[in-house]
Amino acid sequence: MTVESGTGEEGNALQSWNTDLDSHDRKFVKVVDFEEAFRKKPETPTVRERLKSWAAKKCTSRTFKKSVSRNLPFIKMFKNYKLKQDLPSDIVAGITVGIMMIPQGMAFGKLSTLTPVVGLYISLFAPLTYFFVGTGRQVSMGCIAVLSLMMASILEKYDASVAASGVGVSSVDINPDTHCPETKEFSDSDMAKRIEVAGAVTLATGLVTMLAGKLGLGFVINFMSNALITGFTVGVSIHVCTSQIKNIFGLGYGKIASGPATLSPFNYSVTNMSVTNTSLLRMSGLNLDNCTTSSMAVDRQAQYAVLTRFNGSFKIILTWVDILKHITATNVATLIISLLCMLIIYLVKAQINERFKDKMKIPIPIELIVVILGTVASYFLDLQDTYNVPVVGTIPGGVPVPRVPNILLAKDYFFEALIIIIVAYAQTISMAKTLGMKNNYKVDSNQEMFATGTASVVCALFSGYITAASVSRSLVQDGAGGRTQVTSLVACSVVLLVIMVLGPHLHALPLCVLSSIIIVNLRGMFMKLFQLRDLWRKSHYDCIVWVFTFCASVILDADKGLMIGFLVCTLMVVVRTQRSTSVAVGTVGSSEEYRSLGQYRDVKEMAGVRVIRMDSPLYFANADIFKKKVYKLSGLNPLKLRKKTKEMVVDKEEETNHVGNNCRERPTSGEGDVATYAANNGDGAPDTAIYLLPGNKDLKSTLHHIVIDMTGVTFVDIMGVTAIQQIITEFDSIHVEVLLAEVREANLGLLESTGFMKKFGDLLYLTCDDAVHQAVTSPRPARDIV
């Protein structure tokens, strides 16, 4: 870095700063003059005039058509639909996605601790609703693993409240054909109530989301960074995997935990009957002597109902400890089936579908194939009775009758459900925007928020819960050639066929098969753990947000993890606005570009002028830091300088007979390197003093101007304006003038309303070159600030 001298070759120095008089022979260089000449005077129309103008714009046929097209995007899609080109691709992609929806819907439905058929209902009504109101053409709505597990957390809290009230009872049903007892995790009435609770929280949050979308609040997702969302979803994936381990090893929930953890009141695994249940049956008068098979199943399965259902913070750790403690009770048959299914699904998906996706028009529907083979094998080998393998059980046929759930049931779980639907919207809009950019069409974030809420509300009316876009199915839909939302209609038709015709035939499907499908589908999430090193290299801040969100989601719980992640993300924003936001700059070589003094070679500064650039918003959180940074970068601290000057005046009066010079060297307190003053007045009093801070010894002449480049100040608040006023006033007290350059138009309003423009308006310049030119060509100021 070099400092150009103001004497001798001053003309060349002015050229290096682009401050020659010819280049600055402009009519407007100050902001106040420019604003007065070109700023439009604000109009203040009356309320009647505003209403008349609004009506003229909104109440037209064109506006009505736009509104209908915006709220029902499928109308515009049909206008541009090419039957011959689009329909064949949509049919192929729809069948492919519909086939995937069947096993995934059942698996994720069971993951929510509701019946598997609930997942099929969501897979039917979610894409059907999204077809009418969604803007993503390749988005596949349906049942999602992350949302299912979060909904299970709400239902577990409901179960705990039922247990605390003493309402929950053991569930034993009688098979009408064999007149033998059948054990379920929940009775039909209990399950119906749980479905209503899930529907109630979905209805409440869905309505709120619909309203938020119409109010234009789709931008709220911008406050959740990609690192936060990714860390959260990977953390929840750990919960999903842990919840399926019991089915993989054939272990069931057999007791309620004692201690601070909150537990489900229903201590029975699917098709598992404990000895306590048998005693209850005998006490109620039921004869089990003729039910040999069922009694044997009761005794055989009682040994597997050994796990404890944990809920709340640290449940992952407690669950894994409990699993390892009872690992010897593993059902070998269930474990073998699980390993075979996971191996087959992984090999086909990873080694065939993914490796040869460019050559394959349609991926192999291995999940559906495994479901069919598992169901057939379980039925003919009688795995449930022979090897005690838990199965799905009865699946009702047909579509449920729409029913409005009691929304008052959601009052205790609304906050948790609101977090779920925020996550649902985040995943939906991110997937829609990704595919929209790839296929060159626009996605409306507000309409997507409305679509997410609408689809969830419809699902709530048909025994479902909160829905969102599936990443895997959406990518498959796009890869299979899906071009429009018609693909969703075709997929719905496939799911409807299964619900109406094939559903009841899947009663023998082993639960471990569904768990295997879930775990293999989480492979992509787990692979993101290996991207942390690359993320740290790219951005330390994003990596910190990712790690904190992930750890909090795993160790504490999903809802707490999202809250902590949001707080850490906000903290990172504050930290980034406070750290290294101001730098001293100069022109590089003969160019007009201003760059940092410490980061570039051949950077020039004008003698007596220091240019400081602010590269962040100026608000309450960093206003004081900005002041200190200006003191440090300018090499001047007005407060310390005035104190030092006063001490020097006193010493000079005491030692007048010993010192005849105008300048006197004094020791410093370690904060500065040099303290000098020059007596320019007749009485010997100091006129200007320089207090150089460490690292600023290269300032070779008395500093008389500081130019603050505010190009990077995107917004400023009242405390920020106060900080600027204090800087100007304090430096003026030591005869150093502060000029502001390139203040953004958006910040001028606040400067005007706070009176800054009236008091300091002549210090604002349109460009940094204008301000530097003024500083070089004007004499040293002596302003009086009142």
Side-chain angles (χ1 to χ4, degrees), residues 125 199 202-203 400-405 455-465:
F125 291 104
T202 301
L203 178 63
V401 178
R403 177 171 173 267
V404 179
S456 297
V457 168
V458 173
C459 288
L461 301 178
F462 290 92
S463 303
Y465 52 87

Side-chain angles (χ1 to χ4, degrees), residues 3 32 163 174 232 237 332 396 501 504 508 621:
V3 179
V32 288
I174 302 300
F232 173 76
S237 299
V332 178
V501 179

Side-chain angles (χ1 to χ4, degrees), residues 615-687:
D615 290 328
S616 73
L618 182 56
Y619 64 116
F620 65 92
N622 65 352
D624 190 58
I625 297 175
F626 172 65
K627 287 176 55 180
K628 295 178 180 178
K629 197 75 173 179
V630 171
Y631 295 158
K632 180 178 180 181
L633 293 174
S634 65
L636 290 169
N637 189 323
L639 300 178
K640 294 182 179 180
L641 179 56
R642 287 200 300 268
K643 180 179 178 182
K644 184 68 65 176
T645 303
K646 186 178 295 185
E647 294 177 357
M648 298 165 91
V649 171
V650 173
D651 291 344
K652 180 175 177 62
E653 292 176 352
E654 294 177 353
E655 303 179 13
T656 303
N657 298 329
H658 301 282
V659 181
N661 300 330
N662 292 333
C663 182
R664 180 174 177 274
E665 183 176 349
R666 290 181 50 82
T668 63
S669 59
E671 298 169 343
D673 298 321
V674 180
T676 65
Y677 72 88
N680 297 326
N681 299 329
D683 56 359
D687 178 70

Side-chain angles (χ1 to χ4, degrees), residues 40-72:
K40 293 181 180 180
K41 294 182 179 180
E43 299 179 358
T44 55
T46 62
V47 175
R48 182 178 180 182
E49 291 174 342
R50 292 179 180 179
L51 290 176
K52 186 177 180 180
S53 176
W54 180 86
K57 293 180 180 179
K58 299 296 182 182
C59 300
T60 62
S61 59
R62 183 179 180 182
T63 304
F64 176 76
K65 291 179 180 179
K66 283 186 176 181
S67 178
V68 172
S69 177
R70 184 174 59 254
N71 289 279
L72 299 174

Side-chain angles (χ1 to χ4, degrees), residues 146-155 157 196-209 232 407 409-425 452-453 456 460 465-467 558-560 562-563:
V146 172
L147 305 185
S148 299
L149 184 72
M150 296 178 73
M151 183 59 67
S153 179
I154 291 180
L155 295 175
K157 292 181 180 179
E196 186 177 13
V197 171
V201 297
T202 301
L203 178 63
T205 54
L207 292 174
V208 171
T209 307
F232 173 76
I407 200 169
L409 294 173
K411 65 181 187 299
D412 295 330
Y413 319 103
F414 180 78
F415 178 73
E416 292 89 340
L418 191 61
I419 293 178
I420 298 177
I421 205 163
I422 289 175
V423 174
Y425 170 63
T452 303
S456 297
Y465 52 87
I466 298 172
T467 181
D559 52 352
K560 297 182 180 68
L562 186 61
M563 292 176 60

Side-chain angles (χ1 to χ4, degrees), residues 641-780:
L641 179 56
R642 287 200 300 268
K643 180 179 178 182
K644 184 68 65 176
T645 303
K646 186 178 295 185
E647 294 177 357
M648 298 165 91
V649 171
V650 173
D651 291 344
K652 180 175 177 62
E653 292 176 352
E654 294 177 353
E655 303 179 13
T656 303
N657 298 329
H658 301 282
V659 181
N661 300 330
N662 292 333
C663 182
R664 180 174 177 274
E665 183 176 349
R666 290 181 50 82
T668 63
S669 59
E671 298 169 343
D673 298 321
V674 180
T676 65
Y677 72 88
N680 297 326
N681 299 329
D683 56 359
D687 178 70
T688 303
I690 299 293
Y691 189 78
L692 292 179
L693 297 176
N696 290 278
K697 295 180 180 180
D698 53 351
L699 198 61
K700 299 194 177 171
S701 64
T702 302
L703 184 68
H704 54 80
H705 275 87
I706 296 175
V707 177
I708 300 180
D709 183 359
M710 300 187 67
T711 308
V713 181
T714 54
F715 73 88
V716 61
D717 67 358
I718 294 179
M719 288 190 65
V721 174
T722 302
I724 297 175
Q725 290 177 336
Q726 291 174 351
I727 291 173
I728 295 174
T729 304
E730 291 172 1
F731 275 102
D732 186 81
S733 67
I734 59 172
H735 303 284
V736 175
E737 187 171 44
V738 177
L739 306 179
L740 304 181
E742 304 199 34
V743 179
R744 287 176 176 251
E745 179 184 342
N747 296 329
L748 293 178
L750 184 62
L751 297 181
E752 185 70 39
S753 63
T754 55
F756 183 91
M757 293 292 291
K758 184 177 181 181
K759 192 173 183 180
F760 302 103
D762 60 328
L763 300 179
L764 273 66
Y765 288 81
L766 289 175
T767 67
C768 196
D769 282 340
D770 292 333
V772 172
H773 179 266
Q774 173 66 21
V776 172
T777 58
S778 64
R780 184 172 302 175

Side-chain angles (χ1 to χ4, degrees), residues 598-616:
Q599 300 295 326
Y600 290 82
R601 298 188 302 270
D602 195 21
V603 181
K604 300 177 181 179
E605 284 189 289
M606 286 305 301
V609 181
R610 172 56 56 90
V611 182
I612 299 173
R613 187 179 65 214
M614 179 70 170
D615 290 328
S616 73

